[in-house]
Amino acid sequence: MKALAQFLPLDESQKQRTILRSDSGFGGDDNVNYALGQQWQVLTKGSGGRRPGAFARRVAPDDWLTLCPDDRWVARAVDPPTYVHPVQHLVLRWRTPKGQMKHSTVVCSVLDWSMPQIIARYDDRGACETEIQADKGGLKLCQRRKKRLPAQEALVLLTDVAHNTLAWVCHWMFPEGPLAAFGTTRLIEDVLTIPGHLIFDGERLVEVQLNELHPYAAQTATGLQRLLDHLGHP
């Protein structure tokens, strides 16, 4: 959090409009209190261990709100810990594929969200996890290694640049059609590997030739035209 404050120097009002969303890696009550004390908003899984089960046993049977029939429930925690700012402390219960009941707690400092809204926004982290998995598979983040730490850090930063570029280019090039649903891995392995030629007149790009036998050649050509119309012709 201190490093984030150095690179993203937000004022207090900006922090109060910024939600720190995290899975269990966020830590315990001290870390939550630190973030709240710095005026950030928080949406995170609470401490694990035996605590979630203990909170679940305090919830009356009629107080559970069903999120998914016979599969997932949520309730407000009874006598939760006190933090430096008011929060909503929820208990989440769900059934595993093997039929076991599991519990966790969710801490949210946005007081005007309902319990289903809190859990839905907490679940949105799944999209981030999917993108990380795509970086590992498509950009080979886990397969590229450097002997020295600064070189490895630079490689990770370049991977972040590639990730953002792919995320933006997909919207620019393929706002609709079958390629619009492609993630990082399929864009790299199926679209950006089309054989072709770039033809220049001096330093000016004048023509892009793609192998017309490739199944995505026509759609990629249309997408490149959209990209050049968006960014300008170099």
Side-chain angles (χ1 to χ4, degrees), residues 166-212:
L166 287 170
W168 298 329
V169 163
C170 189
H171 292 293
W172 292 334
M173 294 179 64
F174 312 118
E176 57 188 10
L179 301 189
F182 279 20
T184 300
T185 302
R186 295 200 67 185
L187 281 174
I188 291 174
E189 296 182 353
D190 296 342
V191 178
L192 299 183
T193 55
I194 299 177
H197 292 78
L198 300 179
I199 300 176
F200 290 85
D201 180 7
E203 296 184 353
R204 178 177 172 80
L205 176 65
V206 295
E207 187 174 349
V208 178
Q209 296 180 349
L210 300 177
N211 184 349
E212 63 181 356

Short mmCIF file of all heavy atoms in Angstrom, two decimals, residues 166-212:
data_model
loop_
_atom_site.label_atom_id
_atom_site.label_comp_id
_atom_site.label_asym_id
_atom_site.label_seq_id
_atom_site.Cartn_x
_atom_site.Cartn_y
_atom_site.Cartn_z
N LEU A 166 -2.97 -5.56 -26.20
CA LEU A 166 -3.91 -6.54 -26.74
C LEU A 166 -5.34 -6.23 -26.31
O LEU A 166 -6.28 -6.36 -27.10
CB LEU A 166 -3.53 -7.94 -26.27
CG LEU A 166 -2.29 -8.55 -26.93
CD1 LEU A 166 -1.87 -9.83 -26.20
CD2 LEU A 166 -2.56 -8.86 -28.40
N ALA A 167 -5.52 -5.79 -25.07
CA ALA A 167 -6.86 -5.48 -24.58
C ALA A 167 -7.46 -4.32 -25.36
O ALA A 167 -8.64 -4.33 -25.72
CB ALA A 167 -6.81 -5.17 -23.08
N TRP A 168 -6.65 -3.29 -25.65
CA TRP A 168 -7.17 -2.13 -26.39
C TRP A 168 -7.35 -2.45 -27.86
O TRP A 168 -8.36 -2.06 -28.47
CB TRP A 168 -6.20 -0.95 -26.22
CG TRP A 168 -6.05 -0.50 -24.81
CD1 TRP A 168 -6.99 -0.55 -23.82
CD2 TRP A 168 -4.88 0.06 -24.21
NE1 TRP A 168 -6.48 -0.06 -22.65
CE2 TRP A 168 -5.20 0.32 -22.84
CE3 TRP A 168 -3.60 0.35 -24.67
CZ2 TRP A 168 -4.27 0.88 -21.97
CZ3 TRP A 168 -2.68 0.90 -23.79
CH2 TRP A 168 -3.01 1.18 -22.46
N VAL A 169 -6.37 -3.14 -28.45
CA VAL A 169 -6.43 -3.42 -29.88
C VAL A 169 -7.65 -4.26 -30.23
O VAL A 169 -8.27 -4.07 -31.28
CB VAL A 169 -5.12 -4.13 -30.33
CG1 VAL A 169 -5.30 -4.79 -31.68
CG2 VAL A 169 -3.98 -3.11 -30.40
N CYS A 170 -8.01 -5.18 -29.35
CA CYS A 170 -9.16 -6.04 -29.63
C CYS A 170 -10.42 -5.19 -29.79
O CYS A 170 -11.23 -5.43 -30.69
CB CYS A 170 -9.33 -7.07 -28.51
SG CYS A 170 -10.57 -8.32 -28.88
N HIS A 171 -10.60 -4.19 -28.94
CA HIS A 171 -11.79 -3.32 -29.05
C HIS A 171 -11.71 -2.44 -30.29
O HIS A 171 -12.73 -2.14 -30.92
CB HIS A 171 -11.93 -2.46 -27.80
CG HIS A 171 -12.27 -3.23 -26.56
ND1 HIS A 171 -13.48 -3.88 -26.39
CD2 HIS A 171 -11.57 -3.48 -25.43
CE1 HIS A 171 -13.52 -4.48 -25.22
NE2 HIS A 171 -12.36 -4.26 -24.62
N TRP A 172 -10.50 -2.00 -30.64
CA TRP A 172 -10.35 -1.15 -31.81
C TRP A 172 -10.54 -1.94 -33.11
O TRP A 172 -11.18 -1.47 -34.05
CB TRP A 172 -8.96 -0.51 -31.83
CG TRP A 172 -8.74 0.50 -30.75
CD1 TRP A 172 -9.68 1.25 -30.12
CD2 TRP A 172 -7.49 0.87 -30.17
NE1 TRP A 172 -9.11 2.05 -29.18
CE2 TRP A 172 -7.76 1.86 -29.19
CE3 TRP A 172 -6.17 0.48 -30.38
CZ2 TRP A 172 -6.76 2.45 -28.44
CZ3 TRP A 172 -5.17 1.08 -29.62
CH2 TRP A 172 -5.46 2.05 -28.66
N MET A 173 -9.96 -3.13 -33.16
CA MET A 173 -9.97 -3.90 -34.40
C MET A 173 -11.21 -4.76 -34.58
O MET A 173 -11.73 -4.90 -35.69
CB MET A 173 -8.72 -4.80 -34.48
CG MET A 173 -7.41 -4.05 -34.59
SD MET A 173 -5.97 -5.16 -34.65
CE MET A 173 -6.27 -6.04 -36.19
N PHE A 174 -11.69 -5.35 -33.48
CA PHE A 174 -12.77 -6.33 -33.58
C PHE A 174 -13.91 -5.98 -32.62
O PHE A 174 -14.17 -6.71 -31.66
CB PHE A 174 -12.24 -7.73 -33.28
CG PHE A 174 -10.97 -8.09 -34.02
CD1 PHE A 174 -9.80 -8.37 -33.33
CD2 PHE A 174 -10.94 -8.10 -35.41
CE1 PHE A 174 -8.63 -8.69 -34.00
CE2 PHE A 174 -9.77 -8.42 -36.09
CZ PHE A 174 -8.62 -8.71 -35.39
N PRO A 175 -14.60 -4.86 -32.86
CA PRO A 175 -15.71 -4.50 -31.96
C PRO A 175 -16.89 -5.45 -32.08
O PRO A 175 -17.77 -5.47 -31.23
CB PRO A 175 -16.08 -3.09 -32.41
CG PRO A 175 -15.65 -3.03 -33.85
CD PRO A 175 -14.42 -3.88 -33.94
N GLU A 176 -16.93 -6.24 -33.16
CA GLU A 176 -18.01 -7.19 -33.36
C GLU A 176 -17.48 -8.36 -34.16
O GLU A 176 -16.35 -8.35 -34.65
CB GLU A 176 -19.18 -6.52 -34.10
CG GLU A 176 -18.77 -5.92 -35.44
CD GLU A 176 -19.88 -5.11 -36.07
OE1 GLU A 176 -20.89 -4.87 -35.40
OE2 GLU A 176 -19.73 -4.74 -37.26
N GLY A 177 -18.30 -9.40 -34.28
CA GLY A 177 -17.89 -10.57 -35.03
C GLY A 177 -17.24 -11.62 -34.15
O GLY A 177 -17.05 -11.43 -32.94
N PRO A 178 -16.85 -12.76 -34.73
CA PRO A 178 -16.31 -13.88 -33.93
C PRO A 178 -15.00 -13.55 -33.23
O PRO A 178 -14.73 -14.09 -32.15
CB PRO A 178 -16.13 -14.99 -34.97
CG PRO A 178 -16.06 -14.30 -36.29
CD PRO A 178 -16.96 -13.11 -36.17
N LEU A 179 -14.17 -12.69 -33.81
CA LEU A 179 -12.88 -12.38 -33.17
C LEU A 179 -13.04 -11.48 -31.94
O LEU A 179 -12.11 -11.35 -31.15
CB LEU A 179 -11.94 -11.72 -34.17
CG LEU A 179 -11.60 -12.52 -35.43
CD1 LEU A 179 -10.49 -11.83 -36.21
CD2 LEU A 179 -11.20 -13.94 -35.08
N ALA A 180 -14.21 -10.86 -31.78
CA ALA A 180 -14.43 -9.98 -30.63
C ALA A 180 -14.38 -10.74 -29.32
O ALA A 180 -14.08 -10.17 -28.27
CB ALA A 180 -15.76 -9.25 -30.77
N ALA A 181 -14.67 -12.03 -29.37
CA ALA A 181 -14.69 -12.84 -28.14
C ALA A 181 -13.34 -13.50 -27.85
O ALA A 181 -13.21 -14.20 -26.85
CB ALA A 181 -15.78 -13.92 -28.25
N PHE A 182 -12.34 -13.28 -28.70
CA PHE A 182 -11.04 -13.91 -28.50
C PHE A 182 -10.32 -13.29 -27.31
O PHE A 182 -10.30 -12.06 -27.15
CB PHE A 182 -10.17 -13.78 -29.75
CG PHE A 182 -10.48 -14.80 -30.81
CD1 PHE A 182 -11.69 -15.47 -30.83
CD2 PHE A 182 -9.56 -15.11 -31.79
CE1 PHE A 182 -11.98 -16.41 -31.79
CE2 PHE A 182 -9.82 -16.04 -32.77
CZ PHE A 182 -11.04 -16.71 -32.77
N GLY A 183 -9.71 -14.13 -26.49
CA GLY A 183 -8.87 -13.64 -25.40
C GLY A 183 -7.43 -13.53 -25.84
O GLY A 183 -7.08 -13.68 -27.03
N THR A 184 -6.55 -13.27 -24.86
CA THR A 184 -5.14 -13.07 -25.15
C THR A 184 -4.53 -14.25 -25.89
O THR A 184 -3.83 -14.08 -26.90
CB THR A 184 -4.37 -12.81 -23.86
OG1 THR A 184 -4.91 -11.64 -23.21
CG2 THR A 184 -2.90 -12.60 -24.12
N THR A 185 -4.78 -15.45 -25.40
CA THR A 185 -4.14 -16.63 -25.98
C THR A 185 -4.53 -16.83 -27.43
O THR A 185 -3.67 -17.05 -28.30
CB THR A 185 -4.49 -17.88 -25.15
OG1 THR A 185 -4.07 -17.68 -23.80
CG2 THR A 185 -3.79 -19.11 -25.72
N ARG A 186 -5.82 -16.74 -27.74
CA ARG A 186 -6.26 -16.98 -29.12
C ARG A 186 -5.84 -15.85 -30.04
O ARG A 186 -5.54 -16.09 -31.21
CB ARG A 186 -7.78 -17.16 -29.16
CG ARG A 186 -8.28 -18.41 -28.44
CD ARG A 186 -9.65 -18.81 -28.90
NE ARG A 186 -9.65 -19.26 -30.29
CZ ARG A 186 -10.76 -19.59 -30.96
NH1 ARG A 186 -11.93 -19.51 -30.36
NH2 ARG A 186 -10.69 -19.98 -32.22
N LEU A 187 -5.80 -14.61 -29.54
CA LEU A 187 -5.31 -13.51 -30.38
C LEU A 187 -3.86 -13.74 -30.77
O LEU A 187 -3.47 -13.53 -31.93
CB LEU A 187 -5.44 -12.18 -29.63
CG LEU A 187 -6.82 -11.53 -29.60
CD1 LEU A 187 -6.80 -10.30 -28.70
CD2 LEU A 187 -7.29 -11.15 -31.00
N ILE A 188 -3.04 -14.18 -29.80
CA ILE A 188 -1.62 -14.37 -30.09
C ILE A 188 -1.40 -15.58 -30.98
O ILE A 188 -0.66 -15.52 -31.97
CB ILE A 188 -0.84 -14.52 -28.77
CG1 ILE A 188 -0.82 -13.19 -28.02
CG2 ILE A 188 0.59 -14.99 -29.03
CD1 ILE A 188 -0.20 -13.27 -26.66
N GLU A 189 -2.04 -16.69 -30.65
CA GLU A 189 -1.74 -17.94 -31.34
C GLU A 189 -2.49 -18.10 -32.66
O GLU A 189 -2.00 -18.79 -33.57
CB GLU A 189 -2.05 -19.12 -30.42
CG GLU A 189 -1.17 -19.15 -29.17
CD GLU A 189 -1.45 -20.35 -28.29
OE1 GLU A 189 -2.42 -21.09 -28.59
OE2 GLU A 189 -0.70 -20.56 -27.31
N ASP A 190 -3.67 -17.47 -32.80
CA ASP A 190 -4.49 -17.70 -33.99
C ASP A 190 -4.56 -16.50 -34.93
O ASP A 190 -4.74 -16.68 -36.13
CB ASP A 190 -5.92 -18.09 -33.59
CG ASP A 190 -5.97 -19.41 -32.85
OD1 ASP A 190 -4.99 -20.18 -32.94
OD2 ASP A 190 -6.98 -19.68 -32.17
N VAL A 191 -4.46 -15.29 -34.39
CA VAL A 191 -4.66 -14.09 -35.22
C VAL A 191 -3.33 -13.41 -35.54
O VAL A 191 -3.05 -13.12 -36.71
CB VAL A 191 -5.61 -13.09 -34.52
CG1 VAL A 191 -5.78 -11.83 -35.35
CG2 VAL A 191 -6.97 -13.74 -34.27
N LEU A 192 -2.51 -13.16 -34.54
CA LEU A 192 -1.27 -12.41 -34.76
C LEU A 192 -0.17 -13.25 -35.40
O LEU A 192 0.92 -12.74 -35.65
CB LEU A 192 -0.77 -11.83 -33.44
CG LEU A 192 -1.73 -10.85 -32.76
CD1 LEU A 192 -1.11 -10.29 -31.49
CD2 LEU A 192 -2.11 -9.71 -33.70
N THR A 193 -0.46 -14.51 -35.67
CA THR A 193 0.52 -15.36 -36.34
C THR A 193 0.21 -15.54 -37.83
O THR A 193 0.83 -16.38 -38.48
CB THR A 193 0.55 -16.75 -35.68
OG1 THR A 193 -0.77 -17.28 -35.68
CG2 THR A 193 1.06 -16.65 -34.25
N ILE A 194 -0.71 -14.76 -38.38
CA ILE A 194 -1.03 -14.86 -39.80
C ILE A 194 0.19 -14.46 -40.62
O ILE A 194 0.73 -13.36 -40.44
CB ILE A 194 -2.23 -13.97 -40.17
CG1 ILE A 194 -3.48 -14.41 -39.38
CG2 ILE A 194 -2.51 -14.01 -41.67
CD1 ILE A 194 -4.68 -13.53 -39.64
N PRO A 195 0.66 -15.29 -41.54
CA PRO A 195 1.81 -14.91 -42.39
C PRO A 195 1.45 -13.70 -43.26
O PRO A 195 0.32 -13.58 -43.75
CB PRO A 195 2.06 -16.16 -43.23
CG PRO A 195 1.39 -17.27 -42.49
CD PRO A 195 0.21 -16.67 -41.81
N GLY A 196 2.42 -12.83 -43.45
CA GLY A 196 2.15 -11.66 -44.27
C GLY A 196 3.40 -10.83 -44.50
O GLY A 196 4.51 -11.21 -44.11
N HIS A 197 3.21 -9.69 -45.17
CA HIS A 197 4.31 -8.77 -45.47
C HIS A 197 3.87 -7.34 -45.17
O HIS A 197 2.70 -6.98 -45.36
CB HIS A 197 4.72 -8.85 -46.95
CG HIS A 197 5.35 -10.15 -47.32
ND1 HIS A 197 4.65 -11.30 -47.54
CD2 HIS A 197 6.65 -10.47 -47.51
CE1 HIS A 197 5.47 -12.29 -47.86
NE2 HIS A 197 6.69 -11.81 -47.85
N LEU A 198 4.82 -6.53 -44.70
CA LEU A 198 4.63 -5.10 -44.56
C LEU A 198 5.46 -4.41 -45.64
O LEU A 198 6.65 -4.66 -45.76
CB LEU A 198 5.08 -4.62 -43.17
CG LEU A 198 4.38 -5.24 -41.96
CD1 LEU A 198 4.97 -4.68 -40.66
CD2 LEU A 198 2.88 -4.97 -42.00
N ILE A 199 4.82 -3.55 -46.40
CA ILE A 199 5.50 -2.86 -47.51
C ILE A 199 5.59 -1.38 -47.17
O ILE A 199 4.58 -0.74 -46.84
CB ILE A 199 4.73 -3.06 -48.83
CG1 ILE A 199 4.66 -4.58 -49.14
CG2 ILE A 199 5.41 -2.30 -49.96
CD1 ILE A 199 3.84 -4.89 -50.37
N PHE A 200 6.81 -0.85 -47.22
CA PHE A 200 7.07 0.54 -46.84
C PHE A 200 7.54 1.33 -48.04
O PHE A 200 8.20 0.80 -48.94
CB PHE A 200 8.13 0.61 -45.74
CG PHE A 200 7.67 0.10 -44.40
CD1 PHE A 200 7.74 -1.26 -44.11
CD2 PHE A 200 7.18 0.97 -43.45
CE1 PHE A 200 7.33 -1.73 -42.88
CE2 PHE A 200 6.76 0.51 -42.22
CZ PHE A 200 6.83 -0.85 -41.93
N ASP A 201 7.22 2.61 -48.04
CA ASP A 201 7.78 3.57 -48.97
C ASP A 201 8.60 4.54 -48.13
O ASP A 201 8.05 5.47 -47.52
CB ASP A 201 6.68 4.31 -49.73
CG ASP A 201 7.25 5.33 -50.72
OD1 ASP A 201 8.48 5.35 -50.90
OD2 ASP A 201 6.46 6.10 -51.30
N GLY A 202 9.90 4.30 -48.05
CA GLY A 202 10.72 5.03 -47.09
C GLY A 202 10.35 4.56 -45.69
O GLY A 202 10.47 3.39 -45.37
N GLU A 203 9.89 5.48 -44.85
CA GLU A 203 9.45 5.12 -43.51
C GLU A 203 7.94 5.04 -43.39
O GLU A 203 7.41 4.85 -42.31
CB GLU A 203 9.99 6.15 -42.51
CG GLU A 203 11.51 6.19 -42.40
CD GLU A 203 11.97 7.14 -41.33
OE1 GLU A 203 11.12 7.87 -40.77
OE2 GLU A 203 13.20 7.18 -41.05
N ARG A 204 7.23 5.16 -44.50
CA ARG A 204 5.77 5.15 -44.47
C ARG A 204 5.24 3.77 -44.83
O ARG A 204 5.61 3.19 -45.86
CB ARG A 204 5.22 6.19 -45.44
CG ARG A 204 3.69 6.21 -45.51
CD ARG A 204 3.19 7.30 -46.45
NE ARG A 204 1.75 7.21 -46.67
CZ ARG A 204 0.83 7.65 -45.83
NH1 ARG A 204 1.22 8.25 -44.71
NH2 ARG A 204 -0.46 7.53 -46.09
N LEU A 205 4.38 3.23 -43.98
CA LEU A 205 3.72 1.97 -44.27
C LEU A 205 2.63 2.20 -45.31
O LEU A 205 1.72 3.00 -45.10
CB LEU A 205 3.08 1.40 -42.99
CG LEU A 205 2.27 0.11 -43.15
CD1 LEU A 205 3.17 -1.05 -43.57
CD2 LEU A 205 1.55 -0.22 -41.84
N VAL A 206 2.75 1.52 -46.44
CA VAL A 206 1.81 1.75 -47.54
C VAL A 206 0.93 0.55 -47.82
O VAL A 206 -0.12 0.67 -48.46
CB VAL A 206 2.56 2.15 -48.83
CG1 VAL A 206 3.26 3.50 -48.64
CG2 VAL A 206 3.56 1.07 -49.25
N GLU A 207 1.33 -0.65 -47.33
CA GLU A 207 0.51 -1.82 -47.65
C GLU A 207 0.79 -2.93 -46.63
O GLU A 207 1.93 -3.11 -46.19
CB GLU A 207 0.81 -2.33 -49.07
CG GLU A 207 -0.12 -3.44 -49.53
CD GLU A 207 0.13 -3.80 -50.98
OE1 GLU A 207 0.87 -3.06 -51.67
OE2 GLU A 207 -0.41 -4.83 -51.42
N VAL A 208 -0.27 -3.64 -46.29
CA VAL A 208 -0.17 -4.83 -45.45
C VAL A 208 -0.74 -5.99 -46.24
O VAL A 208 -1.89 -5.95 -46.68
CB VAL A 208 -0.92 -4.67 -44.12
CG1 VAL A 208 -0.84 -5.96 -43.29
CG2 VAL A 208 -0.38 -3.49 -43.32
N GLN A 209 0.06 -7.01 -46.44
CA GLN A 209 -0.39 -8.20 -47.17
C GLN A 209 -0.50 -9.37 -46.19
O GLN A 209 0.41 -9.64 -45.43
CB GLN A 209 0.59 -8.56 -48.28
CG GLN A 209 0.71 -7.51 -49.38
CD GLN A 209 1.70 -7.92 -50.46
OE1 GLN A 209 2.44 -8.88 -50.29
NE2 GLN A 209 1.70 -7.17 -51.56
N LEU A 210 -1.66 -10.05 -46.22
CA LEU A 210 -1.89 -11.21 -45.39
C LEU A 210 -2.15 -12.43 -46.27
O LEU A 210 -2.67 -12.29 -47.38
CB LEU A 210 -3.09 -10.99 -44.47
CG LEU A 210 -3.01 -9.81 -43.49
CD1 LEU A 210 -4.32 -9.69 -42.71
CD2 LEU A 210 -1.84 -9.96 -42.55
N ASN A 211 -1.80 -13.58 -45.78
CA ASN A 211 -2.06 -14.83 -46.49
C ASN A 211 -3.57 -15.05 -46.53
O ASN A 211 -4.20 -15.34 -45.52
CB ASN A 211 -1.36 -15.99 -45.79
CG ASN A 211 -1.52 -17.30 -46.54
OD1 ASN A 211 -2.31 -17.41 -47.47
ND2 ASN A 211 -0.78 -18.31 -46.12
N GLU A 212 -4.16 -14.95 -47.73
CA GLU A 212 -5.61 -15.03 -47.85
C GLU A 212 -6.16 -16.42 -47.56
O GLU A 212 -7.37 -16.59 -47.38
CB GLU A 212 -6.05 -14.60 -49.25
CG GLU A 212 -5.53 -15.49 -50.36
CD GLU A 212 -5.98 -15.00 -51.73
OE1 GLU A 212 -6.75 -14.02 -51.78
OE2 GLU A 212 -5.56 -15.59 -52.73
#
